[in-house]
Amino acid sequence: VMDLYPVSIDREGQLGKIDVALRNDGPGNYLANRVMYQIAVIDGTAYLFSSDRFDREFIEEYNWDLLEEIGPADDVAIEFDGEWEREPHGRFRFHSEGDPWLFWVNDGNLYARHGQGSTITLASSGNVTTVSAVRSWKNTYYPDRDHGLVVAYIDGGDAKYRNRAEQADESVIWESAKDVTDENDTPVQAVNITAFRTIDYRTGFLYEDSGGEIHFTASTRNWAGMGVAPETITAAITNYNMVLSRMYHTVVGDGPYVTDDKRSQVDKWQWGEHDSETITASIDYTVGPLLWVVNTEPILLENFPITENGEENWGKRIRITFDHGITNNVGLEDYIHVKDEADNIYPVISTSGGEIYEDPLDPTKFDGTRELILEVFDFNDAAGAGDTMTVEYISGENRLQGEAGQDLESFIETYTPTNLDPEGFPSPEVEAIYNE
């Protein structure tokens, strides 16, 4: 849900960059305790203002209170962090935390502060010229797929960004600086930049190049659990009938059976002297989750040790971690090739699955793994050890498959092995000298 408010600002002095952010208490109490914060550069100094007296029908009644003088600044931005929470009708609204994050550029460095907390430095090159901030989308089913609080900036002509996001271990950190890239994954050069989130769950950047042209780039969609509300599938039997047939018994005896005493005996046999039975109707059905993923891809390759004669050997086992669960992970020796930088091939001895993957919504839904373990011929002496090795997988029918039963595509990935212990070939040694 996106709310747009026109904001009228009236300031004395030379007004520079200005930014605003709205605090709200989230679903169920969205209109209560709203406060608008404003950060502005006036005569080269950054100031922080706030207003809790505003209404979209009476914009002229905005009343801004000066909270503090932050200090010298060339550019500023302000944004709230918080959580995306579902309202009773199913839509998501952003629930901001109590205090905003403040960002400002001074003497070519980028600084940040949360509320009245300590100031931290996000970029210290001395070449930062502009800053923009937005709280972007967070995948509600996979906590580590959090775009986070995104801060975009120009550093010596390079478009960069940092994000404060939740990690796989549920910690929240400022991640390291990354390049803003174009559609070809090429880092871009720019003189100005703005970060934003789209209504289709992407994080985007608008950047201006040195020629004055405006360009647009955006991430993939981070929509899981937000674009579609959870659905409940119920299976039941309907429109069925049960028919009971009358049971007749023949009475064998002397004389006509239609006498009163005989008729009563017949009626008793006809209507009731039988053991009770319970008839149960049911239906067999299976409901499985549909995973809307075109392809499952490897996200991490690493070698890890096995213990031999009490010592760790890091040159015989490789683990490949995928972004979703995989099946059919055994018997792939002929379809996976491992080689070093000199194209020496190290045969794969066996393949297997790793740690069992549990669906975050229901651990019983997928009894599989996200890891593929390769037992490989010893590669401690690989050429270029300590540099890179290549793992190639060749796809095919009834080989690696994803959670939805789709065949994985072929891939070629490189990684840098660690802790290898090259033995090399020993130099010849003199064992004995003698004449004959």
Side-chain angles (χ1 to χ4, degrees):
V1 175
M2 181 181 295
D3 293 303
L4 302 178
Y5 293 87
V7 178
S8 176
I9 306 297
D10 185 12
R11 291 278 178 263
E12 295 181 358
Q14 183 64 40
L15 182 63
K17 178 68 178 292
I18 188 170
D19 195 13
V20 295
L22 175 66
R23 188 188 78 190
N24 67 78
D25 281 354
N29 198 24
Y30 184 70
L31 298 180
N33 301 321
R34 293 187 301 172
V35 178
M36 184 77 79
Y37 286 85
Q38 174 198 152
I39 189 171
V41 178
I42 304 174
D43 293 330
T45 300
Y47 295 88
L48 180 64
F49 303 86
S50 72
S51 174
D52 59 2
R53 301 180 301 278
F54 63 91
D55 189 281
R56 67 172 66 194
E57 300 295 331
F58 303 99
I59 298 303
E60 66 273 10
E61 296 184 8
Y62 270 85
N63 295 288
W64 296 99
D65 298 320
L66 176 63
L67 298 182
E68 68 170 300
E69 177 182 323
I70 298 173
D74 301 311
D75 200 1
V76 289
I78 186 171
E79 182 62 298
F80 279 94
D81 206 346
E83 295 291 336
W84 292 95
E85 297 182 5
R86 187 184 300 279
E87 293 185 318
H89 50 65
R91 294 184 304 177
F92 274 86
R93 281 191 187 271
F94 181 67
H95 180 191
S96 56
E97 59 190 11
D99 295 316
W101 278 88
L102 314 177
F103 306 95
W104 67 95
V105 176
N106 182 40
D107 289 336
N109 300 319
L110 175 59
Y111 301 98
R113 196 185 77 196
H114 183 215
Q116 296 299 314
S118 301
T119 298
I120 62 175
T121 303
L122 295 183
S124 58
S125 67
N127 298 312
V128 179
T129 55
T130 187
V131 62
S132 174
V134 66
R135 207 314 168 184
S136 197
W137 301 104
K138 179 178 181 180
N139 189 304
T140 59
Y141 286 167
Y142 301 94
D144 57 330
R145 299 180 191 179
D146 179 15
H147 285 182
L149 176 60
V150 180
V151 181
Y153 57 98
I154 303 299
D155 191 347
D158 298 322
K160 301 277 188 178
Y161 72 96
R162 293 188 65 174
N163 51 332
R164 182 178 183 269
E166 185 172 350
Q167 308 299 301
D169 61 1
E170 299 184 354
S171 63
V172 179
I173 65 171
W174 279 105
E175 298 180 3
S176 59
K178 306 177 183 69
D179 292 315
V180 175
T181 58
D182 60 18
E183 66 275 9
N184 298 316
D185 290 331
T186 302
V188 301
Q189 298 282 307
V191 297
N192 206 352
I193 191 167
T194 297
F196 62 93
R197 63 175 181 261
T198 69
I199 60 174
D200 67 340
Y201 314 104
R202 306 174 193 266
T203 301
F205 301 98
L206 281 176
Y207 59 93
E208 179 185 2
D209 64 22
S210 58
E213 293 187 357
I214 305 297
H215 304 268
F216 164 85
T217 185
S219 70
T220 56
R221 297 176 68 201
N222 194 20
W223 62 271
M226 304 189 76
V228 181
E231 299 284 352
T232 300
I233 300 176
T234 302
I237 303 174
T238 60
N239 299 324
Y240 62 89
N241 298 307
M242 181 179 296
V243 178
L244 300 178
S245 300
R246 180 177 295 182
M247 299 175 64
Y248 292 92
H249 297 263
T250 301
V251 178
V252 180
D254 296 334
Y257 72 89
V258 292
T259 60
D260 290 341
D261 60 332
K262 293 295 185 180
R263 183 180 298 279
S264 64
Q265 186 68 29
V266 171
D267 289 343
K268 188 180 293 185
W269 286 340
Q270 276 187 205
W271 298 113
E273 298 299 328
H274 300 282
D275 293 335
S276 62
E277 296 183 11
T278 300
I279 299 176
T280 302
S282 64
I283 184 172
D284 292 330
Y285 64 92
T286 300
V287 177
L290 298 179
L291 187 65
W292 186 251
V293 176
V294 175
N295 190 36
T296 298
E297 299 178 338
I299 57 175
L300 176 65
L301 281 77
E302 57 187 342
N303 61 313
F304 65 106
I306 61 174
T307 301
E308 294 180 332
N309 301 320
E311 296 183 355
E312 291 186 342
N313 187 338
W314 289 72
K316 289 189 174 182
R317 186 177 290 173
I318 299 173
R319 175 169 48 223
I320 306 175
T321 303
F322 294 82
D323 55 358
H324 293 92
I326 58 170
T327 59
N328 291 0
N329 47 47
V330 297
L332 303 173
E333 298 83 10
D334 294 335
Y335 313 114
I336 300 180
H337 308 302
V338 178
K339 61 183 180 180
D340 61 20
E341 292 188 348
D343 288 336
N344 298 312
I345 296 177
Y346 299 84
V348 177
I349 301 171
S350 66
T351 63
S352 61
E355 181 179 355
I356 295 299
Y357 164 70
E358 293 184 354
D359 189 295
L361 300 180
D362 183 352
T364 67
K365 285 184 179 178
F366 179 70
D367 184 16
T369 178
R370 291 172 58 182
E371 298 177 350
L372 178 64
I373 307 300
L374 310 182
E375 302 289 343
V376 186
F377 185 83
D378 195 313
F379 54 86
N380 275 293
D381 286 306
D387 294 326
T388 61
M389 296 188 69
T390 301
V391 176
E392 179 182 10
Y393 166 70
I394 302 173
S395 65
E397 187 177 357
N398 296 322
R399 297 177 191 172
L400 275 180
Q401 293 182 336
E403 292 180 43
Q406 78 278 19
D407 293 327
L408 265 65
E409 295 181 359
S410 299
F411 62 80
I412 299 177
E413 298 287 338
T414 60
Y415 81 103
T416 302
T418 59
N419 298 319
L420 296 185
D421 184 20
E423 295 182 2
F425 296 97
S427 300
E429 297 180 358
V430 176
E431 294 183 352
I433 301 176
Y434 57 91
N435 65 327
E436 295 182 343

